[in-house]
Amino acid sequence: MRKKPYTEIGIRRLKCFRCGNKAEYQWQICSDGNTYRPICKECDIALNEIVLKWAGFPDWEDKIKQYKEKVKHA
């Protein structure tokens, strides 16, 4: 179990925990023991969309659209 964040170089050597694509980000959640998990851009976007909807942001569609553009150009 990974308890420390991956480095920028280290994360890019891994596959996405969810889908197996190239990882570029990392994610952790309390209910998973705060274990750092590598995730790809697509899964990061999907996760952000789920959270925006869950949190009840009335402008979630605009927020996720802006985030997708940011991630594409990163």
Side-chain angles (χ1 to χ4, degrees), residues 2-64:
R2 180 84 182 192
K3 295 297 182 180
K4 292 183 180 181
Y6 293 97
T7 64
E8 190 173 328
I9 293 170
I11 196 73
R12 294 176 190 266
R13 294 179 181 156
L14 301 172
K15 292 183 178 182
C16 178
F17 172 76
R18 181 174 176 267
C19 72
N21 288 333
K22 180 183 172 194
E24 296 192 44
Y25 299 103
Q26 53 192 312
W27 175 71
Q28 69 174 163
I29 187 168
C30 300
S31 59
D32 185 34
N34 291 99
T35 302
Y36 284 89
R37 306 282 182 183
I39 58 174
C40 68
K41 284 183 179 184
E42 292 80 14
C43 289
D44 177 67
I45 290 168
L47 182 58
N48 275 272
E49 185 172 339
I50 289 166
V51 172
L52 287 170
K53 288 179 185 178
W54 171 84
F57 283 90
D59 59 344
W60 72 266
E61 291 173 295
D62 291 332
K63 287 184 183 297
I64 201 65

